[in-house]
Amino acid sequence: MEFLDQLKNLKEQLKFESSFGSVRPFSNIIISGMGGSGIAGSIFSELYDRSPVTVVSDYNLPAYAGPDTLFIGISYSGNTEETLTATREAVRKGCQIRLITSGGELSELGEKTVIIPSGLQPRSALGYLLVPFLRSFMNFNESDYEETCRILSGLDAEHREARELAETIGREGSIPVIFGHYPYRWVAYRWKTQFNENSKILAFSNFFPELNHNDTVPLKSTYRKDAFRFISFGDASDRIEKRIEITSRITGTDFVRVHVNGKTLLQKLFYLIHYGDYVSYHLAKYRNIDPEEVSVISSLKDELMH
Ligand code: F6R
């Protein structure tokens, strides 16, 4: 599938009717996943607050992992070294195991595995990777999913502002710095990773209010400040909105504010994710590079296998 069609596929992925099925009671959730797969777990961890959720983006599990843990391993390819290692450890420690993958070795490690369609870039499969979490643990209703699909279709058809932001960044040759806030902290990170892999540029993210205790200092007095393009999101609480306004004023920093469309959390979340998909896609186009190509990651994985 062409990369642009992969982006447009997101709304179809929301119709994916899969969940983890019945789970026995657990006291904590540990999610293991890297890159474009792991982000699904991170976004979920920001939304879900009925038990502690730890996202492991590394090889090893925390010592408390055990029979009371619901372990969810996510790897689109099913062959990611860190996720396989963490999953094998979870099996050894007697965790309750659920997996999401399109195949690979991971699909052989658990009995209850959500198999998702293959043939996409992992980062273009975010709908497939996230929906099992949402359908299993969050109570969004069907009309909410339908409206979210409608909103995503609207963005697919018309995303002029996203393209203009991409062209501004491309013209300036600037480094995007995305400042999110709850419940979009991990959406800010997703934007960063989409800039990394689709646009092939460095990008950084942080979130309010935490960044008021560190990044705010260089916002006032860093060298080469014009090398960065600062982006923040709308739909902030009054306190966060006030922080954004004060931060901008006292540090003399302009933020591109990205308005968040939609009425519900589900709609806003996917709108903002998809908006970032388009900014990163158009920046790749502006730079005349292939947004899909990430062969350096594959080369690194290959070398690690020998
Ligand atoms: C995203 C991407 C990477 C992978 C990561 C882990 O498109 O190419 O970020 O997601 O290398 O691989 P998987 O997702 O197969 O476990």
Side-chain angles (χ1 to χ4, degrees):
M1 204 188 284
E2 284 286 311
F3 195 71
L4 184 56
D5 292 326
Q6 293 189 31
L7 292 194
K8 290 185 177 172
N9 190 247
L10 182 61
K11 56 187 178 301
E12 304 304 326
Q13 297 176 22
L14 287 193
K15 297 176 189 154
F16 188 54
E17 284 282 348
S18 205
S19 79
F20 296 117
S22 61
V23 285
R24 52 165 212 276
F26 54 86
S27 60
N28 60 80
I29 300 179
I30 298 178
I31 301 170
S32 159
M34 307 303 295
S37 291
I39 187 73
S42 299
I43 291 173
F44 169 71
S45 73
E46 192 173 356
L47 307 179
Y48 181 80
D49 59 7
R50 293 204 298 275
S51 62
V53 182
T54 303
V55 180
V56 174
S57 318
D58 209 324
Y59 292 88
N60 297 116
L61 301 188
Y64 64 79
D68 280 347
T69 300
L70 173 63
F71 173 90
I72 304 172
I74 329 168
S75 168
Y76 187 76
S77 63
N79 291 322
T80 295
E81 179 177 292
E82 301 92 314
T83 315
L84 287 170
T85 307
T87 303
R88 290 193 182 104
E89 186 178 340
V91 171
R92 265 196 318 276
K93 289 185 156 183
C95 302
Q96 183 174 192
I97 310 281
R98 295 291 182 277
L99 304 170
I100 311 176
T101 184
S102 70
E105 274 186 60
L106 193 69
S107 62
E108 289 152 29
L109 296 185
E111 280 162 22
K112 298 208 175 165
T113 299
V114 175
I115 299 288
I116 60 178
S118 59
L120 301 169
Q121 277 294 326
R123 62 189 182 281
S124 302
L126 184 61
Y128 289 132
L129 297 163
L130 194 48
V131 161
F133 287 95
L134 303 183
R135 292 209 178 264
S136 302
F137 300 114
M138 310 288 296
N139 287 325
F140 300 121
N141 60 40
E142 286 313 312
S143 59
D144 202 358
Y145 280 100
E146 281 162 26
E147 182 58 16
T148 305
C149 290
R150 211 188 55 73
I151 288 172
L152 294 182
S153 296
L155 251 185
D156 289 336
E158 161 57 42
H159 46 262
R160 186 178 42 82
E161 286 181 15
R163 183 168 41 74
E164 285 172 0
L165 174 54
E167 287 169 1
T168 301
I169 294 168
R171 225 179 1 259
E172 295 171 339
S174 55
I175 301 293
V177 178
I178 309 103
F179 288 152
H181 56 262
Y182 174 84
Y184 312 118
R185 292 185 291 226
W186 286 100
V187 176
Y189 185 76
R190 159 78 177 184
W191 276 51
K192 169 223 176 307
T193 59
Q194 290 290 75
F195 278 123
N196 295 156
E197 295 192 70
N198 297 343
S199 324
K200 278 95 178 147
I201 58 166
L202 282 174
F204 298 92
S205 69
N206 200 345
F207 58 88
F208 287 99
E210 169 61 18
L211 72 90
N212 278 153
H213 306 271
N214 39 70
D215 278 322
T216 305
V217 178
L219 280 183
K220 192 162 162 54
S221 33
T222 187
Y223 47 66
R224 305 199 56 193
K225 188 163 166 187
D226 60 358
F228 302 94
R229 172 56 58 182
F230 300 97
I231 300 167
S232 70
F233 302 146
D235 194 38
S237 67
D238 289 350
R239 291 306 289 169
I240 297 296
E241 198 54 56
K242 192 163 183 180
R243 281 176 181 273
I244 296 173
E245 184 273 312
I246 297 172
T247 306
S248 169
R249 180 164 41 76
I250 67 177
T251 66
T253 307
D254 287 333
F255 292 108
V256 174
R257 296 298 302 276
V258 177
H259 175 75
V260 187
N261 264 359
K263 289 199 175 65
T264 65
L265 175 60
L266 186 72
Q267 293 162 24
K268 292 184 218 176
L269 197 66
F270 274 96
Y271 173 84
L272 201 51
I273 288 169
H274 210 37
Y275 194 108
D277 292 344
Y278 277 112
V279 180
S280 64
Y281 171 81
H282 283 294
L283 182 51
K285 290 289 156 191
Y286 183 90
R287 298 188 66 209
N288 217 3
I289 50 178
D290 176 3
E292 177 159 22
E293 190 273 326
V294 284
S295 56
V296 68
I297 297 181
S298 316
S299 310
L300 185 132
K301 288 180 179 178
D302 285 349
E303 279 212 33
L304 279 165
M305 278 167 66
H306 299 116

